[in-house]
Amino acid sequence: MPQTPPTRFAYLGPEGTFAEAALSSAVAPGEGVRQPAASVPAALAAVRAGEVDAALVPMENSIEGSVPATMDGLADGEPLLITREVFLPVSFVLAARPGTRPEDVRDVVSHPHALAQTARTVAERLPGVPALPASSTAAAARAVADGEHDAAVCAPIAAQRYGLVPLAEDVADHPGAVTRFVLVSRPGRLPAPTGEDKTSLVAVVTDRTGALLDVLREFAVRGISLTRIESRPTRDRLWVYSFSLDCEGHVAEARVGEALAALHRVCEDVRFLGSYPRADGRTSRPVPDEAADAAFADAREWVARLRAGRV
């Protein structure tokens, strides 16, 4: 029985964030209602509580790396599954209330990732002006509109939505940055394999020699390419780490399923985060003949014959 498509979506708010733009690029406006959330944990909590069907949250940026709030939010709490990923090119403006001159600016506010991606350019435009963190780029724009701060680094859509004007455009230190967002929902039927898929998971290992090698070996021997791996400390025990992983392939494929089963055996814990179509425009590496589903089926049949005494 097919799963009902989501119709209620949460995203990292307020209105005017890159997350809202990413959601609009993935889901047509008429396909559901959208609800801004104050933070990534709040968006994920809304899914877990059944207040929305799915949430779109930032996972990583091509310049600044992963978003800890999303990584930790998916690793802890009731399980959630990634059903889709969205890649969004990001550009920033330095915006202020109408009539503000650069020499009038006493502070600039934005999300920490945005501040990091624009630090050099903003410092050149506003030398000596302190940069302050906000929960999102749109929240920064709204705070400037409310008179709480003088300038914000934000998306052009946020500047327009909150009535700000640009002091400078395209202020990124490294133009061409892309943010990867993921759409997450409560566990249910997985997206069907497409042949161009990713699988995400979190593997928890104890502090012992060769622990990471044991994890990597299970992918290597099956010809599975990792597209991302990152270490995160667990928050409940010292010196116990989790590895957040993305690999090519779908859990419905024999090689990926067997790799996850092997990790379940050698790791302290494994949390499956979903198998879904990849959206980065890259073609997955060809599957080696010895790692194809047919090869796994043939090997299982051979062992079955041995166990039955048919050598």
Side-chain angles (χ1 to χ4, degrees):
M1 182 177 179
Q3 188 175 9
T4 304
T7 58
R8 301 171 299 161
F9 299 91
Y11 64 90
L12 176 60
E15 295 180 356
T17 58
F18 289 111
E20 183 187 20
L23 181 59
S24 296
S25 73
V27 180
E31 290 186 22
V33 296
R34 291 104 197 281
Q35 174 180 314
S39 64
V40 168
L44 299 180
V47 180
R48 290 184 169 116
E51 297 169 2
V52 297
D53 303 315
L56 191 101
V57 291
M59 187 72 169
E60 61 179 322
N61 178 268
S62 60
I63 303 297
E64 288 302 306
S66 297
V67 179
T70 300
M71 294 179 62
D72 294 340
L74 293 177
D76 299 330
E78 295 179 20
L80 295 173
L81 291 182
I82 299 171
T83 60
R84 184 169 182 175
E85 65 176 4
V86 180
F87 284 72
L88 182 75
V90 295
S91 62
F92 300 100
V93 296
L94 178 63
R97 293 181 297 279
T100 302
R101 301 170 300 173
E103 55 267 31
D104 298 328
V105 176
R106 294 162 298 177
D107 62 9
V108 59
V109 63
S110 192
H111 187 275
H113 271 206
L115 293 175
Q117 292 177 63
T118 60
R120 185 180 69 246
T121 304
V122 170
E124 292 172 353
R125 299 275 184 170
L126 302 173
V129 173
L132 304 175
S135 60
S136 70
T137 54
R142 186 172 63 185
V144 171
D146 291 343
E148 299 172 12
H149 298 282
D150 293 331
V153 173
C154 61
I157 185 176
Q160 296 169 5
R161 186 160 296 181
Y162 293 103
L164 306 182
V165 296
L167 296 177
E169 298 180 341
D170 297 324
V171 294
D173 295 341
H174 302 281
V178 174
T179 296
R180 175 193 178 205
F181 294 85
V182 291
L183 188 68
V184 301
S185 62
R186 292 182 297 281
R189 187 182 299 273
L190 301 178
T194 66
E196 297 290 337
D197 302 294
K198 280 183 185 176
T199 291
S200 296
L201 61 128
V202 176
V204 178
V205 299
T206 54
D207 181 25
R208 60 179 175 81
T209 302
L212 177 57
L213 179 60
D214 288 343
V215 171
L216 299 179
R217 183 186 296 115
E218 302 302 343
F219 294 98
V221 298
R222 295 171 177 85
I224 300 172
S225 177
L226 293 179
T227 59
R228 183 182 65 89
I229 178 170
E230 187 165 348
S231 172
R232 295 284 297 167
T234 56
R235 292 179 286 184
D236 54 349
R237 286 174 294 168
L238 291 174
W239 320 127
V240 177
Y241 292 86
S242 66
F243 291 96
S244 179
L245 305 164
D246 293 339
C247 70
E248 291 184 346
H250 194 286
V251 70
E253 299 173 26
R255 62 184 183 135
V256 178
E258 290 208 3
L260 267 60
L263 291 181
H264 190 270
R265 187 181 70 251
V266 302
C267 295
E268 184 170 322
D269 187 31
V270 178
R271 172 168 286 202
F272 175 68
L273 297 181
S275 291
Y276 48 91
R278 63 188 302 170
D280 55 11
R282 298 180 181 179
T283 301
S284 297
R285 294 186 175 130
V287 178
D289 290 342
E290 65 273 16
D293 279 8
F296 280 94
D298 182 64
R300 285 194 298 268
E301 291 173 4
W302 177 70
V303 172
R305 290 197 301 272
L306 297 181
R307 289 170 174 167
R310 300 195 304 273
V311 178

